[in-house]
Amino acid sequence: MASQTSTESMDRTRTERLAIWAANLKFADLPTDVVEKTKDFFVDWLGCTIAGRYHPAVQAISKFASHMGPSGGKSEVLDGALGFTTSAAFASLVNGASSHVVEQDDLHNRSIMHPATVIFPAALAVAQDVEATGAEFIAACVVGYEVGCRVGRYLGKTHYERFHSTATSGVIGVAAATAHLLKLDAEQMLSAIGTAGTQAAGLWQFLIDATHSKQVHTGKACFDGIFAAYTARDGLLGTRDILEGPRAMGVALVPGTTNAEAIDGDLGNDYEILHSSFKWHASCRHTHPSADALLKLMKNHKLGFEDIESVVAHTYQAAINVLGMTGKGETVHQSKFSMGFVLAVVAKKGQAMITDFGEDDLEDSSLREFQQRVKMELDPEIDRAFPEKWKGTVDVRTKDGQSFTESVEFAKGDPELPLTRDEIERKVHTLAKYGGFQDTQQVQQLIERGWRLETELNLAGFVFGSPSKPRS
Amino acid sequence: MASQTSTESMDRTRTERLAIWAANLKFADLPTDVVEKTKDFFVDWLGCTIAGRYHPAVQAISKFASHMGPSGGKSEVLDGALGFTTSAAFASLVNGASSHVVEQDDLHNRSIMHPATVIFPAALAVAQDVEATGAEFIAACVVGYEVGCRVGRYLGKTHYERFHSTATSGVIGVAAATAHLLKLDAEQMLSAIGTAGTQAAGLWQFLIDATHSKQVHTGKACFDGIFAAYTARDGLLGTRDILEGPRAMGVALVPGTTNAEAIDGDLGNDYEILHSSFKWHASCRHTHPSADALLKLMKNHKLGFEDIESVVAHTYQAAINVLGMTGKGETVHQSKFSMGFVLAVVAKKGQAMITDFGEDDLEDSSLREFQQRVKMELDPEIDRAFPEKWKGTVDVRTKDGQSFTESVEFAKGDPELPLTRDEIERKVHTLAKYGGFQDTQQVQQLIERGWRLETELNLAGFVFGSPSKPRS
């Protein structure tokens, strides 16, 4: 499958073409902006992972890894409570769970998935297992983003109504990134993709009762994708058309229409990682366009928290579906999924950072009262633009009877409005502190190693361990 | 949740009622026929697992377990090539893959799933981890069958059209069996069920290109279910209504209607394990009713292989769907999914045992020609009775122009026509020999320990290890 003429390529499935591209991508092929953006998201991800590590779900998964995995290994678990190294599959299981907890990891808008929380933990753990260089790691992550996000785009909005796409698309991205680090050929890459896709799972039901499945989904997407790639290397054949085949994901997991063109359109010309967004606010990404519109409106009209009588947030259907599931937000995590609560927080505090959602805030009656006065409404135009664009409009009525409207076309962190490196550093320091990592200097060193990632000779020990030495 | 009045129980979901029942079942509650049947299926399963262990997919999964899991542990991998002990999750991953390879493991008719291949590998590995007694193991397996098969019945026929139910229902059965061995309470049992269900995956796409996903599905159902139960013990909250909730399995994974009553109807009065069937023929279970009808017809009318001009197999839609995916059967595994090839084998050899499907047989032109002369036809009456009954009718035209019809209401191995212990022993010896286990005496000892399973004091080392000692 490695060599091909244009005639042969006409007979291939889209998934085969994607696998060939993924197996053959080299670091040297990557445009500079792609390399730089990968490092941005990686450093951002490190902060998210450290921040989430004490969550009970992460601790339970970490105990499972200790009990079922090897004690010792090349891959680092970024877990302060039990802090250990283990095999790649288990390290990624824990780190993948950890990095999605505080709702600060990136979002790829048009696939409605969070690639960093699955691609980086898996690629880092495997890179440490094979003692890859920073450049090899970056190339593998670009492959992981590309494949995972394209699958997410293929599965589309109606899939997302039922499934946590980060897991179902992510597992395939993980398999591709891992396969790239293992230097698998295109046939093996295709097997890894097939074996990953037949494991794709993750339902939204947990949002309704504020349970811990979100951490299961991201952690297991890492484990399962790594499983797919290592077994593909060792002779396990994955099914060849797991996306478009007659009994494959498109048929079984998508109630509406799929977007076949997304699988292999424009491969190598546009990079999915350039279309991912940072999260600035520490809440569900579906609240961000409205939050930014509200902040803009309050600034433009010099309104304070106490001035506002009511807010209508005009948004898209997927936001209403997801945010409608968590009720008033009884837990800190659920409160980040309540449009009313999030808008109350930004109105009162001027921001919605990780430290702005605490147990105290849940008890704050001024926030709870404001929350009651926020409504969501479906806006057909915003809905049509979604998920290519995540737009937001808010109407505000003030206590003295005035009415204002404000819109944002992009939320802060969107590809069109990315975080600067200074902002990323500030965010990572805040997250690390939140995660109990007190040594600011060590965090700064880690960040700076991240900015020079392509010069690392060996990622073993990257986070806690010794300096970079070439693999033996 | 442990204590309840009848009023309280009215408010519970069906899944909660199932979890309460599962957490509270005791070995002492089990009727004798349930205990005996569990041992029958366990011994039958041991043969299947040994038979499949050299398959390339099993070997690849075994390598993954060696690389990512601990070297050493309490749980036995029944793998001749690499033969080792490891942690429970990895041992079950390999054994679960191995026991489904040769298509000889049991089938639970009305849920259309194969419980043994997921429940026993997981329960054995965990029983060894916690050093359970034989009686504790049996009770956990009964729980695993009950929960897994009830979920399969709930998801029903239309789920089975797209998903390999053995995996999607099986992972929940595994979680319940494991939770029972870990002595989790009803709330933790419910968490384990929720975390298992949100991992449910496994698509039929692999049947089309004869790849290895079937082994992935069963092995991973074991691993994932064990993950669900251990993490539930350690504080990870699973979603509470993973079957009937608004974003749960019934909505996301079932295109048609679900059967809610199956979740908790008649709990404790009827046992699902009594409704499971042995496989006698070594082919897809959907071929068995037709194979038995053909054997009966040939016997009654004294016909030989050479006498038959053509066969029409009247069957149900699910058989046509599954058997229609594998084409003519290019591989040994695919050939077991070809109605034409399987009927050719039984007509020529009078049986379709594991040794009757070899590479030689794929090349046998007389079998290939006979295969061409077999057709499947949908029989509306048989289809209506499925999956409660797996009936078969064949029409045969002979070369000298005669026509005959024969039907079977039950296939050999069905609950109404179970294998005798002598037949199970014969089958296990054949399977063990096929799997390269040459020491007949050791196999016989293993079988006999199986028949006395409830007297075992400690299942650690049950298969290859030392005699039974109580746990310390």
Side-chain angles (χ1 to χ4, degrees), chain A residues 424-434 437 439-441 443-444 447:
Chain A
I424 296 170
E425 292 200 6
R426 224 172 89 205
K427 182 179 161 189
V428 170
H429 277 290
T430 308
L431 289 169
K433 201 162 286 172
Y434 181 88
F437 209 102
D439 185 338
T440 308
Q441 216 179 338
V443 174
Q444 189 58 34
I447 291 171

Side-chain angles (χ1 to χ4, degrees), chain B residues 165-187:
Chain B
S165 312
T166 298
T168 54
S169 313
V171 66
I172 300 184
V174 166
T178 303
H180 198 267
L181 281 163
L182 296 177
K183 305 190 191 301
L184 301 193
D185 66 22
E187 277 291 320

Side-chain angles (χ1 to χ4, degrees), chain B residues 246-257:
Chain B
R247 289 291 191 287
M249 293 175 77
V251 169
L253 308 181
V254 183
T257 55

Side-chain angles (χ1 to χ4, degrees), chain A residues 1 4 6 8-22 110 143 145-155 172 190 193 241 243-244 258-272:
Chain A
M1 197 158 125
Q4 52 167 318
S6 59
E8 273 175 344
S9 109
M10 298 291 287
D11 298 331
R12 299 196 191 288
T13 64
R14 292 177 185 276
T15 305
E16 285 171 339
R17 287 197 284 268
L18 181 61
I20 292 169
W21 178 88
R110 59 196 194 185
V143 166
Y145 265 75
E146 195 70 28
V147 171
C149 296
R150 283 174 177 270
V151 172
R153 288 172 56 207
Y154 165 68
L155 298 172
I172 300 183
L190 188 65
I193 288 171
D241 199 5
L243 300 177
E244 296 188 281
T258 53
N259 173 12
E261 177 61 26
I263 300 171
D264 66 336
D266 215 20
L267 265 173
N269 294 318
D270 193 13
Y271 283 87
E272 294 295 346

Side-chain angles (χ1 to χ4, degrees), chain A residues 266-284:
Chain A
D266 215 20
L267 265 173
N269 294 318
D270 193 13
Y271 283 87
E272 294 295 346
I273 199 164
L274 298 178
H275 298 273
S276 202
S277 301
F278 298 93
K279 266 187 172 180
W280 186 240
H281 309 305
S283 56
C284 175

Side-chain angles (χ1 to χ4, degrees), chain A residues 67-68 70 87 90 129 161 198-199 201-203 205 208-209 211-212 217 220 223-224 237 239-240 245-247, chain B residues 67-68 70 87 90 129 161 198-199 202-203 205 208-209 211-212 217 220 223-224 237 239-240 245-247:
Chain A
H67 186 68
M68 297 295 180
S87 63
F90 278 115
D129 190 29
E161 285 171 13
T198 203
Q199 296 176 81
L203 301 171
Q205 180 64 24
I208 293 165
D209 49 20
T211 44
H212 297 152
H217 297 165
K220 282 297 305 315
F223 186 98
D224 297 347
L237 299 175
T239 189
R240 301 181 65 85
R247 288 292 191 286
Chain B
H67 186 67
M68 297 296 180
S87 64
F90 279 116
D129 191 28
E161 284 171 14
T198 203
Q199 297 175 79
L203 302 170
Q205 180 63 24
I208 293 165
D209 49 20
T211 44
H212 296 152
H217 298 165
K220 282 298 304 315
F223 186 98
D224 298 346
L237 300 175
T239 190
R240 300 181 66 85
R247 289 291 191 287

